Amino acid sequence: MAAATSGTAVVSLPADDQILITREFDAPKHLVYKAYTTPELVRRWWAGRRGEVTSCEIDFRVGGKWRYVMNAAGGFEVAFNGEFREIVPNERIVSTEAYEGAPEGTDPVLNVVKFTETDGRTTLEILTHCGSQATRDAIIGSGMEGGMQEGMDIMEEIAIELR
Amino acid sequence: MARAATTADAFNAVAEPRRRQILDLLAGGERPVNDLVQLLGLAQPQVSKHLRVLREVGAVDVRDEGRRRLYRLNGHALKPIHDWVKAYERTWTERFDLMDDVLEDLKEKEQTDGGSD
């Protein structure tokens, strides 16, 4: 059997200060939970195609801290950190998340992650409570910047080739 | 960053649930205000208020036909908003595609381990 493609992530905005990301996986929830919470495994997916995870620390207990660092393809580093607030094994994780490059005084957001299994398939839901609409818009906008950054990198490569 | 601000404003305008409903209704084609009032079950002034916000950000266009005011979607104006969310969505799609590979490995490992984790 070919590797399961389960489609794309769906992003919706249930409220002014919320972002909901939903994705179905062809795997039981204890495995999705494992992939989501085990440092060696998070390292393999968290950077997407934008770079490489250079550090992934997870102190997986209520009150424990986590920190992910990615070396983006453009050469700059981005880091996020937070604290676990609630852990229900294979079911639910509540944690804070702060972007280390955010302007001073920006409150961390709160992520509520849910794992739901039906017929051996798992729906992963990440609901981000941003605290304000401005923060939500900044987070959504970061996707745009990432995309623009990639575009600019390619342009730079072309410019160098043309020199 | 003027463009980002405009996008955010337009986004704000279309994020409101009632206004999203109006956009959904207009997605099916041009409609007079009275239609919208009936379909939404709201009072006319409320509907007009929502329509005014949508017009201000260019999400809908209006034209007069005799005594009727007809509203229609402006897909062109909505595209930046769509792209805005799509870019974020793409980041997560990339991540989850890689997670699919991780999960395939975990499933295989579980099978060879005889179902124990």
Side-chain angles (χ1 to χ4, degrees), chain A residues 53-66:
Chain A
V53 180
T54 50
S55 171
C56 178
E57 297 158 62
I58 302 177
D59 181 13
F60 199 43
R61 60 191 169 87
V62 173
K65 304 268 202 290
W66 64 270

Side-chain angles (χ1 to χ4, degrees), chain B residues 59-99:
Chain B
V60 301
D61 287 331
V62 64
R63 68 184 179 97
D64 289 324
E65 193 188 70
R67 286 177 53 240
R68 299 198 307 172
R69 307 212 78 190
L70 295 168
Y71 285 85
R72 67 170 184 277
L73 260 193
N74 180 0
H76 186 70
L78 291 172
K79 194 171 178 298
I81 302 164
H82 179 78
D83 291 349
W84 191 51
V85 175
K86 282 294 158 194
Y88 185 69
E89 214 167 69
R90 197 166 56 230
T91 305
W92 281 93
T93 295
E94 287 171 4
R95 285 178 170 169
F96 291 151
D97 285 350
L98 293 174
M99 210 158 126

Side-chain angles (χ1 to χ4, degrees), chain A residues 97-152:
Chain A
E97 175 180 340
Y99 169 49
E100 293 181 10
E104 217 164 301
T106 309
D107 285 327
V109 302
L110 192 74
N111 289 327
V112 179
V113 184
K114 255 171 60 183
F115 304 80
T116 322
E117 186 179 321
T118 314
D119 299 328
R121 295 174 71 87
T122 302
T123 301
L124 175 71
E125 283 176 277
I126 306 171
L127 177 64
T128 302
H129 296 267
C130 304
S132 72
Q133 193 182 339
T135 302
R136 184 202 64 183
D137 291 351
I139 291 171
I140 296 275
S142 69
M144 199 75 169
E145 276 164 29
M148 270 154 66
Q149 186 61 46
E150 280 169 14
M152 272 146 71

Side-chain angles (χ1 to χ4, degrees), chain B residues 18-19 21-27 29-44 47-48 50-51 54 60 69-72:
Chain B
R18 283 299 190 181
R19 290 200 280 271
Q21 250 181 308
I22 292 177
L23 294 174
D24 284 345
L25 290 171
L26 293 178
E30 201 175 36
R31 282 180 190 277
V33 182
N34 286 349
D35 255 29
L36 295 170
V37 168
Q38 259 181 9
L39 290 163
L40 292 166
L42 289 176
Q44 161 117 32
V47 174
S48 296
H50 286 313
L51 284 169
L54 290 171
V60 301
R69 307 212 78 190
L70 295 168
Y71 285 85
R72 67 170 184 277

Side-chain angles (χ1 to χ4, degrees), chain A residues 4 6-11 13 16 19 21 23 25-27 30-32 34-36 41 44-46 48-50 124 126 133 136-137 139-141 143-144 147, chain B residues 1 3 8-9 11-12 15-17 20 80 83-107 109-110 117:
Chain A
S6 312
T8 56
V10 177
V11 172
L13 304 147
D16 279 352
I19 303 169
I21 303 163
R23 165 67 137 84
F25 293 92
D26 183 19
H30 71 279
L31 294 185
V32 179
K34 194 171 175 177
Y36 200 88
L41 301 177
R44 288 177 54 186
W45 62 264
W46 182 70
R49 307 215 181 278
R50 311 214 155 190
L124 175 71
I126 306 171
Q133 193 182 339
R136 184 202 64 183
D137 291 351
I139 291 171
I140 296 275
M144 199 75 169
Chain B
M1 292 307 281
R3 186 165 157 259
D9 290 346
F11 194 83
N12 177 30
E16 206 277 330
R20 238 174 2 221
D83 291 349
W84 191 51
V85 175
K86 282 294 158 194
Y88 185 69
E89 214 167 69
R90 197 166 56 230
T91 305
W92 281 93
T93 295
E94 287 171 4
R95 285 178 170 169
F96 291 151
D97 285 350
L98 293 174
M99 210 158 126
D100 278 337
D101 297 340
V102 172
L103 290 167
E104 284 305 309
D105 288 354
L106 290 177
K107 281 199 282 188
K109 188 169 176 291
E110 210 172 53
D117 187 18

